């Protein structure tokens, strides 16, 4: 049988082992043993176009894996002006390890934003600082229980290094191009849900624009000319969605729910929709078109039940 005294000893040892001692590091005797830190603003590229969405990830590089926390003490900012758009990416990303100049670093993404800038020029982002806590295993001598294992947490205030980058102007669009102001890589398709479609009765089709990049506000694919062959467009409902993938790319989608009425049984078709945009990968303007979709239209007479005598 386990005695009450032994249970009390076990619980007390747990409490003591969880003790955390916090102290701000300002040049103590432990400096020689302190880990190295730096905080950088990591960007996939340092030169990009106006309106092109780019992630900025504030990342802690530490020679110690025993980082307990990193709390912002003061915020980073863009020098000179504000971002045109700025969306928080959560989570900022997974921790990883990296060798740089012969030294092994533990890398902790602290915060991330997807940003755009609409004006060309040279910019600088960063500044501010984080308070970083590091755990150190240690043994203390309790006057009653003797040597006890515990954890000491030491704090370090680490500045955020500034990053410089350049925003390039988008070239003038060719004549006749209905440029949407959107920057990225996109695709366009038309989807007609399965089910019977009858002449003279309402039906639904979806025109979906999706891809990586920023779809400009108040911008839609050109869809009106797609409803001129044996169909009549009645109404359109728009929905938008934005997000990001695990590679830090911005994902955008516009879905147009189009209510139409077939006017011709034999020759009904939803034609091409089109969308013009600037592709930063190629540095060129591009036009995409959806494929035409043939509509199988039934007569309303087929809905009547057959009567037998």
């Amino acid at each position: 049988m386990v005695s009450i005294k032994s249970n009390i000893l076990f619980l007390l040892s747990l409490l003591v082992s969880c003790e955390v001692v916090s102290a701000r590091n300002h040049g103590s005797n432990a400096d020689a043993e302190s880990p190295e830190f730096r905080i950088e603003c990591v960007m996939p590229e340092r030169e990009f176009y106006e309106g092109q969405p780019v992630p900025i990830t504030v990342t802690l590089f530490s020679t110690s894996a025993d980082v307990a926390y990193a709390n912002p003490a003061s915020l980073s900012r863009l020098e000179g002006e504000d971002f045109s758009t700025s969306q928080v990416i959560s989570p900022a990303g997974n921790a990883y390890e990296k060798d740089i100049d012969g030294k092994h670093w533990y890398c902790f993404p602290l915060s991330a934003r997807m940003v755009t800038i609409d004006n060309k020029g040279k910019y600088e982002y960063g500044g501010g600082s984080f308070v970083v806590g590091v755990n150190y295993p240690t043994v203390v001598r309790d006057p009653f229980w003797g040597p006890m294992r515990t954890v000491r947490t030491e704090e370090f205030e680490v500045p955020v290094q500034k990053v410089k980058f350049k925003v390039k102007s988008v070239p003038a669009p060719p004549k006749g191009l209905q440029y949407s102001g959107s920057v990225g890589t996109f695709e366009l398709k038309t989807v007609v849900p399965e089910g019977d479609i009858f002449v003279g009765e309402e039906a639904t089709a979806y025109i979906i624009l999706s891809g990586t990049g920023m779809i400009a506000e108040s911008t839609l694919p050109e869809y009106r000319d797609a409803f001129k062959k044996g169909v009549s467009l009645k109404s359109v409902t728009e929905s938008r969605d934005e997000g990001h993938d695990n590679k830090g790319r911005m994902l955008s989608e516009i879905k147009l729910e189009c209510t139409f009425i077939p006017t011709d049984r034999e020759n009904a078709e939803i034609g091409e929709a089109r969308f013009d945009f600037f592709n930063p990968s190629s540095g060129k303007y591009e036009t995409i078109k959806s494929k035409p979709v043939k509509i199988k239209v039934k007569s309303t007479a087929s809905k009547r039940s057959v009567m037998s005598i």
Side-chain angles (χ1 to χ4, degrees):
M1 179 180 298
V2 179
S3 67
I4 295 177
K5 181 178 179 181
S6 63
N7 279 334
I8 293 174
L9 292 175
F10 176 72
L11 292 173
L12 286 174
S13 66
L14 284 179
L15 291 173
V16 174
S17 66
C18 293
E19 178 186 0
V20 177
V21 179
S22 297
R24 184 67 60 89
N25 184 286
H26 288 295
S28 66
N29 294 331
D31 280 353
E33 302 176 1
S34 297
E36 292 184 41
F37 300 105
R38 71 170 186 261
I39 298 180
E40 298 180 0
C41 299
V42 178
M43 302 177 69
E45 49 195 313
R46 300 288 180 87
E47 189 171 328
F48 48 94
Y49 287 98
E50 297 168 324
Q52 179 182 349
V54 176
I56 301 179
T57 306
V58 178
T59 304
L60 167 66
F61 293 80
S62 168
T63 55
S64 170
D66 298 320
V67 173
Y69 54 82
N71 298 323
S74 55
L75 300 178
S76 300
R77 63 188 181 89
L78 182 67
E79 296 290 340
E81 62 178 88
D82 294 330
F83 292 112
S84 300
T85 64
S86 179
Q87 302 175 6
V88 174
I89 297 176
S90 181
N94 297 322
Y96 58 96
E97 300 178 38
K98 188 174 183 179
D99 291 322
I100 304 175
D101 297 331
K103 186 172 293 186
H104 192 72
W105 296 90
Y106 298 91
C107 311
F108 304 93
L110 305 179
S111 64
R113 289 181 174 274
M114 187 73 69
V115 303
T116 64
I117 296 179
D118 290 340
N119 299 314
K120 69 176 182 178
K122 295 181 180 180
Y123 295 89
E124 191 173 78
Y125 177 77
S129 63
F130 280 76
V131 175
V132 178
V134 179
N135 288 335
Y136 293 90
T138 186
V139 176
V140 297
R141 185 171 185 81
D142 186 272
F144 184 75
W145 301 108
M148 303 295 298
R149 190 184 299 271
T150 186
V151 174
R152 173 176 56 86
T153 300
E154 190 163 347
E155 290 186 343
F156 305 83
E157 186 162 0
V158 184
V160 179
Q161 298 180 17
K162 294 183 178 181
V163 60
K164 295 181 179 181
F165 56 90
K166 179 181 178 181
V167 178
K168 302 181 291 186
S169 60
V170 175
K175 291 183 179 180
L177 187 78
Q178 298 177 350
Y179 176 46
S180 63
S182 301
V183 179
T185 305
F186 305 98
E187 63 177 11
L188 188 61
K189 62 181 179 181
T190 299
V191 177
V192 178
E194 294 184 2
D196 294 334
I197 296 177
F198 298 95
V199 67
E201 295 188 2
E202 291 184 2
T204 301
Y206 295 94
I207 296 176
I208 303 171
L209 172 68
S210 61
T212 58
M214 173 76 76
I215 301 176
E217 291 184 11
S218 304
T219 297
L220 297 175
E222 179 50 59
Y223 61 88
R224 289 165 292 187
D225 290 342
F227 294 87
K228 290 187 175 180
K229 192 174 181 180
V231 293
S232 175
L233 182 62
K234 183 179 179 181
S235 63
V236 176
T237 302
E238 168 196 345
S239 62
R240 292 176 179 252
D241 190 26
E242 293 180 348
H244 66 277
D245 62 12
N246 55 12
K247 295 181 180 180
R249 299 178 302 182
M250 183 174 187
L251 305 178
S252 302
E253 180 184 271
I254 292 180
K255 181 183 288 186
L256 302 180
E257 182 178 342
C258 304
T259 302
F260 67 95
I261 298 175
T263 57
D264 190 332
R265 277 195 59 202
E266 305 299 330
N267 192 28
E269 177 184 277
I270 297 177
E272 295 178 341
R274 59 176 287 161
F275 186 71
D276 300 327
F277 61 94
F278 180 77
N279 187 337
S281 298
S282 63
K284 297 179 180 179
Y285 289 91
E286 297 181 8
T287 298
I288 51 174
K289 298 178 181 180
S290 61
K291 294 181 179 180
V293 178
K294 295 283 187 180
I295 307 296
K296 294 182 180 179
V297 182
K298 295 184 177 182
S299 169
T300 54
S302 63
K303 298 172 66 175
R304 300 171 188 164
S305 59
V306 178
M307 298 180 61
S308 58
I309 300 177

